Amino acid sequence: PVSHHYINQSSLDQHLTENDLLKVLEAITMVTDWYELGLKLGLNVDILQKIETDCRSVKECQRKMILKWLNTGCARWSSLVEALNSPLVDRQGIAKQITKDHLHMSQEQ
C-alpha cells in the first residue's frame, strides 16, 4: 500500500508549466510583494527589474513574474509554498492554503 504522505508530497511536487498560470495566480492573488516572491523563487534580479520597468500594475508584474518562473522548468507548488513561508515574503496563511488544497486534491485522486 502507498502511504498518504507519499501521495500528498507528489501533488505538491508536481511540475508546473504555463498551463498552470491561472491556478498559481489565483493562489497568490493577495500577494502584492511580487518582487520579493520572485527573488525567493530564484528569479534573477535583472529579470525582476525588467518586469518592474515594463509593468503598469502590481497584477501585471505578478503575472509576468509567475510566467517567467513557470518557464524555468523548476516550478513546483512546494517551491511556491517554501517562498511564501520565507521571512522575506511572510505569507504563511497563503502557503498553508496551497498546501491544504493540494493535500486535499491528492487524497481524492
Side-chain angles (χ1 to χ4, degrees), residues 48-59:
L48 295 172
Q49 286 178 338
K50 178 161 178 24
I51 291 171
E52 191 171 45
T53 303
D54 294 348
C55 292
R56 292 185 176 85
S57 70
V58 168
K59 286 282 180 213

Side-chain angles (χ1 to χ4, degrees), residues 9 11 18 21 24 32-35 38-39 42 55 61 65 68-69 79 84 89 94-95 99:
Q9 279 307 112
S11 176
E18 278 189 33
L21 178 63
V24 175
T32 54
D33 41 359
W34 64 270
Y35 193 100
L39 286 173
C55 292
C61 290
M65 181 275 292
K68 283 282 186 193
W69 176 63
S79 306
L84 289 165
V89 181
I94 295 170
T99 302

